[in-house]
Amino acid sequence: MTDTRDASLDRADFFRTVDLRGRHLNRTELKAAVPRVHEESNQQAEEAVRGIIAEVRARGHQALRELAQRFDGVVLDSVRVPREALRDALAGLDAGVRAALEESIDRARRFAEAQRPADVETVLAEGAVVRQRWIPVNRVGLYVPGGLAPLASSVVMNVVPALAAGVESVALASPPQKDFGGLPHPTILAAAELLGVEEVYAIGGAQAIVSFAYGVPADGPEEALEAVDLVTGPGNVFVATAKKLVRGVVGIDSEAGPTEIAVLADETAQPALVAADLISQAEHDPRASSVLVTSSVDLAEAVREELLRQARTARHSERILTALSGPQSGVVLVDGLEQGIAVADAYAAEHLEIMTADAPAVAARIRNAGAIFVGDYSPVSLGDYCAGSNHVLPTSGTALFSSGLNVTTFLRAVQEIEYSRQGLSEVRTHIEELAEAENLPSHGEAVSIRFR
């Protein structure tokens, strides 16, 4: 990096400051004040994705091969990854990476299996029973990006809870890579093989989501790609747009935006650790959000200096510095812990780190976050790989009303009602009265007829 570039980063707008001290803002005002990447409707992306939907639905495998050549620069004979390619990828996997994936899988599986909710049965009266059973979706399509980073960890995070939920049919798609003969990245293939996923496709971007949603008919030697019930997994703006457009045809986990981290810290926090964690998320994407919330001006300045020092020597320095210089990143100065907690709850970060005195007590007061990382030894990177938690989390403030990927994402709560003649007779009059009050007399008649 040149001195000119460094000089431009020393300006006051690098990792900008939002000063909320002395301001008494309600949650709506706090949400508007905090740094955030404000995504506007991307009409160009939506038009492109609508075109891809039309192409894939009309021409199936032929369209997928043409799209692979157009977007990925590869010529595919088939979009289905051969079984031997999965086995070869695992056989050639670095031993250290394999050990890391196996540990990640083990911890994620143990946590996921503990999440499955119990079925319930309630006896309301003699002969009056209602139940709730948790039933897995039949088939899921999991998308794993392969752009700026081959996210093998996302294979683990998507597949493990699906299997723990009892999903019987799992398909996985990831972009074909020119450097690997048109196959997805070998580490992604190896992770799929470790988890027993045999149905893998070299399909990237919006076309993968479309294929999962509508299915792709067989075409000569190409087997049919059966439509799924649910699509999960992160991706770029085209993937998010595709998920938005097929929602309702198929279930989706979320329309994920750029990754984000917020750190709630006080004067006890170590600037080098705070900076390292902010940088770890800025490394993902130039549009990633890294936000520090603190009442300590000294900490804020020390973190800013650490950000400059650490980012300059990072492998992805330009990407990191772009993210940290954007309007979506910066420090939020608050009057104290109470206002800091209010800001954190209003921001509703995908990842929220607590680096304060008595961090567990502070974490217990947080209501809105995708995942909360407590104390100096629980960095977001831990959750990205080996904590046992899931790293597919709500972004862009959607943690206010949604959850991260978990076992219940792949389950449906089905209610079951079983009444006897006696049980129905006890509420017969109530049903008839309510049906008449709503001017739906045939509802009441459907009960009355059983007693004539």
Side-chain angles (χ1 to χ4, degrees):
M1 182 170 294
T2 67
D3 293 336
T4 301
R5 173 69 170 159
D6 282 352
S8 70
L9 291 171
D10 288 333
R11 297 177 306 176
D13 60 351
F14 171 72
F15 202 63
R16 68 192 183 99
T17 298
V18 177
D19 194 345
L20 301 183
R21 291 174 298 175
R23 301 174 63 186
H24 303 286
L25 306 179
N26 61 34
R27 195 177 73 163
T28 301
E29 292 167 331
L30 287 175
K31 287 169 65 177
V34 295
R36 178 83 74 190
V37 56
H38 295 288
E39 298 280 3
E40 304 204 357
S41 176
N42 193 325
Q43 189 65 34
Q44 188 175 5
E46 189 164 319
E47 289 176 2
V49 172
R50 288 190 186 279
I52 289 170
I53 292 174
E55 286 188 64
V56 173
R57 294 194 70 186
R59 298 188 296 112
H61 285 286
Q62 181 183 348
L64 291 176
R65 288 191 292 269
E66 291 175 5
L67 290 166
Q69 188 167 6
R70 186 192 314 169
F71 294 123
D72 304 300
V74 299
V75 178
L76 296 177
D77 294 325
S78 172
V79 298
R80 180 73 181 259
V81 176
R83 279 292 291 120
E84 58 268 24
L86 298 171
R87 289 191 288 263
D88 290 346
L90 182 57
L93 186 64
D94 175 84
V97 175
R98 176 168 183 159
L101 282 172
E102 289 174 338
E103 184 66 26
S104 178
I105 290 167
D106 177 65
R107 291 179 181 234
R109 181 177 286 135
R110 285 154 57 193
F111 185 47
E113 288 174 349
Q115 293 170 17
R116 186 180 175 108
D119 295 349
V120 297
E121 177 177 291
T122 303
V123 179
L124 299 170
E126 181 72 26
V129 180
V130 290
R131 307 178 185 91
Q132 180 168 277
R133 294 189 291 125
W134 290 94
I135 301 175
V137 297
N138 294 318
R139 177 169 164 80
V140 300
L142 312 177
Y143 184 72
V144 180
L148 293 177
L151 298 182
S153 57
S154 284
V155 180
V156 177
M157 300 298 171
N158 282 273
V159 173
V160 168
L163 296 180
V167 175
E168 293 183 357
S169 179
V170 176
L172 187 148
S174 190
Q177 303 285 323
K178 194 172 184 179
D179 293 342
F180 300 104
L183 294 173
H185 195 283
T187 310
I188 289 173
L189 298 183
E193 180 71 5
L194 272 175
L195 286 159
V197 178
E198 298 181 1
E199 187 181 349
V200 179
Y201 297 93
I203 312 176
Q207 54 270 33
I209 308 304
V210 176
S211 299
F212 282 147
Y214 294 100
V216 183
D219 181 11
E222 288 272 24
E223 299 177 16
L225 194 169
E226 184 183 353
V228 304
D229 304 306
L230 174 70
V231 175
T232 72
N236 62 19
V237 64
F238 296 99
V239 170
T241 301
K243 290 168 80 174
K244 173 184 176 181
L245 293 178
V246 303
R247 187 173 199 162
V249 175
V250 66
I252 67 170
D253 54 346
S254 66
E255 301 166 28
T259 191
E260 60 199 22
I261 178 176
V263 180
L264 177 58
D266 62 16
E267 65 281 355
T268 67
Q270 299 182 53
L273 300 187
V274 175
D277 295 352
L278 293 170
I279 285 172
S280 73
Q281 293 309 294
E283 180 178 42
H284 275 283
D285 190 315
R287 298 184 304 147
S289 300
S290 296
V291 175
L292 169 62
V293 181
T294 186
S295 60
S296 172
V297 175
D298 290 342
L299 176 69
E301 289 306 313
V303 168
R304 185 176 280 108
E305 290 304 312
E306 279 289 335
L307 288 172
L308 284 167
R309 185 184 67 80
Q310 294 184 32
R312 284 174 176 141
T313 59
R315 182 183 304 174
H316 302 296
S317 178
E318 184 173 355
R319 188 189 309 166
I320 291 165
L321 291 168
T322 299
L324 294 175
S325 300
Q328 74 274 17
S329 297
V331 58
V332 180
L333 290 176
V334 294
D335 285 318
L337 183 60
E338 294 303 315
Q339 191 182 28
I341 291 172
V343 168
D345 270 338
Y347 185 66
E350 178 189 15
H351 311 94
L352 174 64
E353 290 189 358
I354 308 296
M355 290 188 176
T356 64
D358 199 1
V362 174
R365 297 180 58 192
I366 299 296
R367 296 177 59 86
N368 305 320
I372 303 170
F373 298 81
V374 186
D376 286 354
Y377 295 95
S378 305
V380 169
S381 297
L382 173 66
D384 283 342
Y385 299 116
C386 261
S389 58
N390 203 292
H391 76 203
V392 182
L393 300 166
T395 62
S396 307
T398 58
L400 288 165
F401 52 81
S402 60
S403 307
L405 201 69
N406 63 83
V407 167
T408 62
T409 304
F410 301 93
L411 296 171
R412 297 157 294 139
V414 177
Q415 297 178 18
E416 184 176 285
I417 300 93
E418 184 180 357
Y419 271 51
S420 66
R421 180 182 176 88
Q422 178 183 340
L424 181 60
S425 69
E426 289 189 15
V427 293
R428 170 186 173 183
T429 301
H430 299 315
I431 295 169
E432 292 168 343
E433 291 285 352
L434 289 170
E436 188 61 36
E438 294 186 348
N439 194 26
L440 297 171
S442 293
H443 280 60
E445 178 61 20
V447 172
S448 302
I449 196 170
R450 286 169 162 77
F451 295 96
R452 286 201 291 270

mmCIF file of all heavy atoms in Angstrom, residues 74-96:
data_model
loop_
_atom_site.group_PDB
_atom_site.id
_atom_site.type_symbol
_atom_site.label_atom_id
_atom_site.label_comp_id
_atom_site.label_asym_id
_atom_site.label_seq_id
_atom_site.Cartn_x
_atom_site.Cartn_y
_atom_site.Cartn_z
ATOM 1 N N VAL A 74 -16.799 -21.243 -17.466
ATOM 2 C CA VAL A 74 -16.518 -22.677 -17.590
ATOM 3 C C VAL A 74 -17.518 -23.325 -18.543
ATOM 4 O O VAL A 74 -18.663 -22.887 -18.660
ATOM 5 C CB VAL A 74 -16.562 -23.396 -16.227
ATOM 6 C CG1 VAL A 74 -15.525 -22.820 -15.282
ATOM 7 C CG2 VAL A 74 -17.941 -23.320 -15.597
ATOM 8 N N VAL A 75 -17.068 -24.366 -19.209
ATOM 9 C CA VAL A 75 -17.930 -25.166 -20.074
ATOM 10 C C VAL A 75 -18.211 -26.474 -19.358
ATOM 11 O O VAL A 75 -17.290 -27.248 -19.065
ATOM 12 C CB VAL A 75 -17.261 -25.430 -21.440
ATOM 13 C CG1 VAL A 75 -18.163 -26.318 -22.297
ATOM 14 C CG2 VAL A 75 -16.968 -24.112 -22.150
ATOM 15 N N LEU A 76 -19.475 -26.711 -19.052
ATOM 16 C CA LEU A 76 -19.860 -27.900 -18.289
ATOM 17 C C LEU A 76 -20.480 -28.947 -19.192
ATOM 18 O O LEU A 76 -21.315 -28.631 -20.047
ATOM 19 C CB LEU A 76 -20.880 -27.519 -17.205
ATOM 20 C CG LEU A 76 -20.432 -26.562 -16.096
ATOM 21 C CD1 LEU A 76 -21.605 -26.258 -15.174
ATOM 22 C CD2 LEU A 76 -19.284 -27.171 -15.303
ATOM 23 N N ASP A 77 -20.068 -30.198 -18.980
ATOM 24 C CA ASP A 77 -20.775 -31.313 -19.622
ATOM 25 C C ASP A 77 -22.039 -31.635 -18.841
ATOM 26 O O ASP A 77 -23.061 -32.022 -19.402
ATOM 27 C CB ASP A 77 -19.875 -32.551 -19.686
ATOM 28 C CG ASP A 77 -18.677 -32.335 -20.597
ATOM 29 O OD1 ASP A 77 -18.838 -31.628 -21.616
ATOM 30 O OD2 ASP A 77 -17.590 -32.852 -20.286
ATOM 31 N N SER A 78 -21.947 -31.496 -17.516
ATOM 32 C CA SER A 78 -23.069 -31.784 -16.633
ATOM 33 C C SER A 78 -22.950 -30.917 -15.387
ATOM 34 O O SER A 78 -21.842 -30.646 -14.912
ATOM 35 C CB SER A 78 -23.060 -33.267 -16.233
ATOM 36 O OG SER A 78 -24.028 -33.525 -15.223
ATOM 37 N N VAL A 79 -24.092 -30.482 -14.841
ATOM 38 C CA VAL A 79 -24.056 -29.683 -13.613
ATOM 39 C C VAL A 79 -23.966 -30.561 -12.367
ATOM 40 O O VAL A 79 -23.603 -30.086 -11.296
ATOM 41 C CB VAL A 79 -25.297 -28.758 -13.499
ATOM 42 C CG1 VAL A 79 -25.334 -27.775 -14.646
ATOM 43 C CG2 VAL A 79 -26.594 -29.555 -13.428
ATOM 44 N N ARG A 80 -24.266 -31.840 -12.500
ATOM 45 C CA ARG A 80 -24.196 -32.754 -11.352
ATOM 46 C C ARG A 80 -22.740 -33.139 -11.108
ATOM 47 O O ARG A 80 -22.010 -33.534 -12.029
ATOM 48 C CB ARG A 80 -25.034 -34.008 -11.608
ATOM 49 C CG ARG A 80 -25.037 -35.045 -10.490
ATOM 50 C CD ARG A 80 -25.858 -34.599 -9.298
ATOM 51 N NE ARG A 80 -25.826 -35.599 -8.231
ATOM 52 C CZ ARG A 80 -26.800 -36.476 -7.986
ATOM 53 N NH1 ARG A 80 -27.897 -36.487 -8.752
ATOM 54 N NH2 ARG A 80 -26.717 -37.334 -6.992
ATOM 55 N N VAL A 81 -22.293 -32.986 -9.882
ATOM 56 C CA VAL A 81 -20.914 -33.352 -9.520
ATOM 57 C C VAL A 81 -20.834 -34.857 -9.343
ATOM 58 O O VAL A 81 -21.595 -35.441 -8.561
ATOM 59 C CB VAL A 81 -20.487 -32.638 -8.225
ATOM 60 C CG1 VAL A 81 -19.099 -33.099 -7.791
ATOM 61 C CG2 VAL A 81 -20.502 -31.119 -8.417
ATOM 62 N N PRO A 82 -19.927 -35.531 -10.064
ATOM 63 C CA PRO A 82 -19.826 -36.987 -9.948
ATOM 64 C C PRO A 82 -19.419 -37.414 -8.535
ATOM 65 O O PRO A 82 -18.689 -36.706 -7.838
ATOM 66 C CB PRO A 82 -18.723 -37.351 -10.960
ATOM 67 C CG PRO A 82 -18.596 -36.163 -11.848
ATOM 68 C CD PRO A 82 -18.970 -34.973 -11.030
ATOM 69 N N ARG A 83 -19.874 -38.581 -8.124
ATOM 70 C CA ARG A 83 -19.540 -39.100 -6.796
ATOM 71 C C ARG A 83 -18.039 -39.220 -6.599
ATOM 72 O O ARG A 83 -17.502 -38.920 -5.530
ATOM 73 C CB ARG A 83 -20.173 -40.479 -6.578
ATOM 74 C CG ARG A 83 -21.607 -40.468 -6.185
ATOM 75 C CD ARG A 83 -21.868 -39.904 -4.776
ATOM 76 N NE ARG A 83 -21.379 -40.762 -3.718
ATOM 77 C CZ ARG A 83 -20.481 -40.442 -2.807
ATOM 78 N NH1 ARG A 83 -19.906 -39.251 -2.833
ATOM 79 N NH2 ARG A 83 -20.119 -41.278 -1.855
ATOM 80 N N GLU A 84 -17.337 -39.642 -7.642
ATOM 81 C CA GLU A 84 -15.897 -39.818 -7.494
ATOM 82 C C GLU A 84 -15.190 -38.489 -7.231
ATOM 83 O O GLU A 84 -14.147 -38.453 -6.571
ATOM 84 C CB GLU A 84 -15.294 -40.516 -8.718
ATOM 85 C CG GLU A 84 -15.505 -39.826 -10.053
ATOM 86 C CD GLU A 84 -16.758 -40.301 -10.776
ATOM 87 O OE1 GLU A 84 -17.695 -40.798 -10.097
ATOM 88 O OE2 GLU A 84 -16.795 -40.174 -12.016
ATOM 89 N N ALA A 85 -15.756 -37.392 -7.739
ATOM 90 C CA ALA A 85 -15.154 -36.077 -7.489
ATOM 91 C C ALA A 85 -15.258 -35.714 -6.011
ATOM 92 O O ALA A 85 -14.337 -35.104 -5.448
ATOM 93 C CB ALA A 85 -15.834 -35.020 -8.344
ATOM 94 N N LEU A 86 -16.354 -36.081 -5.376
ATOM 95 C CA LEU A 86 -16.508 -35.843 -3.941
ATOM 96 C C LEU A 86 -15.505 -36.679 -3.156
ATOM 97 O O LEU A 86 -14.843 -36.181 -2.232
ATOM 98 C CB LEU A 86 -17.933 -36.171 -3.501
ATOM 99 C CG LEU A 86 -19.049 -35.330 -4.127
ATOM 100 C CD1 LEU A 86 -20.415 -35.910 -3.765
ATOM 101 C CD2 LEU A 86 -18.960 -33.891 -3.662
ATOM 102 N N ARG A 87 -15.381 -37.939 -3.527
ATOM 103 C CA ARG A 87 -14.439 -38.816 -2.820
ATOM 104 C C ARG A 87 -12.998 -38.362 -3.033
ATOM 105 O O ARG A 87 -12.193 -38.360 -2.097
ATOM 106 C CB ARG A 87 -14.627 -40.269 -3.288
ATOM 107 C CG ARG A 87 -15.930 -40.911 -2.817
ATOM 108 C CD ARG A 87 -15.943 -42.394 -3.078
ATOM 109 N NE ARG A 87 -16.081 -42.684 -4.497
ATOM 110 C CZ ARG A 87 -17.241 -42.978 -5.092
ATOM 111 N NH1 ARG A 87 -18.360 -43.004 -4.387
ATOM 112 N NH2 ARG A 87 -17.296 -43.236 -6.379
ATOM 113 N N ASP A 88 -12.685 -37.958 -4.264
ATOM 114 C CA ASP A 88 -11.329 -37.496 -4.550
ATOM 115 C C ASP A 88 -11.003 -36.218 -3.771
ATOM 116 O O ASP A 88 -9.879 -36.032 -3.301
ATOM 117 C CB ASP A 88 -11.160 -37.230 -6.053
ATOM 118 C CG ASP A 88 -11.164 -38.512 -6.878
ATOM 119 O OD1 ASP A 88 -11.038 -39.596 -6.285
ATOM 120 O OD2 ASP A 88 -11.305 -38.407 -8.117
ATOM 121 N N ALA A 89 -11.978 -35.333 -3.639
ATOM 122 C CA ALA A 89 -11.760 -34.081 -2.909
ATOM 123 C C ALA A 89 -11.440 -34.360 -1.451
ATOM 124 O O ALA A 89 -10.541 -33.734 -0.867
ATOM 125 C CB ALA A 89 -12.987 -33.181 -3.019
ATOM 126 N N LEU A 90 -12.148 -35.298 -0.861
ATOM 127 C CA LEU A 90 -11.881 -35.631 0.547
ATOM 128 C C LEU A 90 -10.527 -36.319 0.683
ATOM 129 O O LEU A 90 -9.764 -36.029 1.618
ATOM 130 C CB LEU A 90 -12.993 -36.512 1.104
ATOM 131 C CG LEU A 90 -12.857 -36.889 2.577
ATOM 132 C CD1 LEU A 90 -12.760 -35.654 3.458
ATOM 133 C CD2 LEU A 90 -14.019 -37.779 3.018
ATOM 134 N N ALA A 91 -10.219 -37.201 -0.264
ATOM 135 C CA ALA A 91 -8.930 -37.900 -0.201
ATOM 136 C C ALA A 91 -7.764 -36.924 -0.319
ATOM 137 O O ALA A 91 -6.700 -37.132 0.284
ATOM 138 C CB ALA A 91 -8.856 -38.953 -1.306
ATOM 139 N N GLY A 92 -7.949 -35.857 -1.085
ATOM 140 C CA GLY A 92 -6.865 -34.894 -1.286
ATOM 141 C C GLY A 92 -6.873 -33.731 -0.310
ATOM 142 O O GLY A 92 -6.047 -32.823 -0.422
ATOM 143 N N LEU A 93 -7.782 -33.757 0.646
ATOM 144 C CA LEU A 93 -7.897 -32.636 1.585
ATOM 145 C C LEU A 93 -6.720 -32.612 2.555
ATOM 146 O O LEU A 93 -6.303 -33.657 3.076
ATOM 147 C CB LEU A 93 -9.214 -32.762 2.369
ATOM 148 C CG LEU A 93 -9.578 -31.600 3.291
ATOM 149 C CD1 LEU A 93 -9.817 -30.325 2.492
ATOM 150 C CD2 LEU A 93 -10.834 -31.952 4.106
ATOM 151 N N ASP A 94 -6.185 -31.427 2.789
ATOM 152 C CA ASP A 94 -5.117 -31.252 3.768
ATOM 153 C C ASP A 94 -5.550 -31.822 5.116
ATOM 154 O O ASP A 94 -6.684 -31.594 5.562
ATOM 155 C CB ASP A 94 -4.796 -29.760 3.899
ATOM 156 C CG ASP A 94 -3.774 -29.490 4.981
ATOM 157 O OD1 ASP A 94 -2.575 -29.613 4.701
ATOM 158 O OD2 ASP A 94 -4.200 -29.161 6.118
ATOM 159 N N ALA A 95 -4.657 -32.537 5.780
ATOM 160 C CA ALA A 95 -5.000 -33.217 7.031
ATOM 161 C C ALA A 95 -5.435 -32.235 8.111
ATOM 162 O O ALA A 95 -6.362 -32.509 8.900
ATOM 163 C CB ALA A 95 -3.810 -34.037 7.517
ATOM 164 N N GLY A 96 -4.789 -31.098 8.173
ATOM 165 C CA GLY A 96 -5.160 -30.098 9.171
ATOM 166 C C GLY A 96 -6.538 -29.523 8.927
ATOM 167 O O GLY A 96 -7.315 -29.312 9.872
#
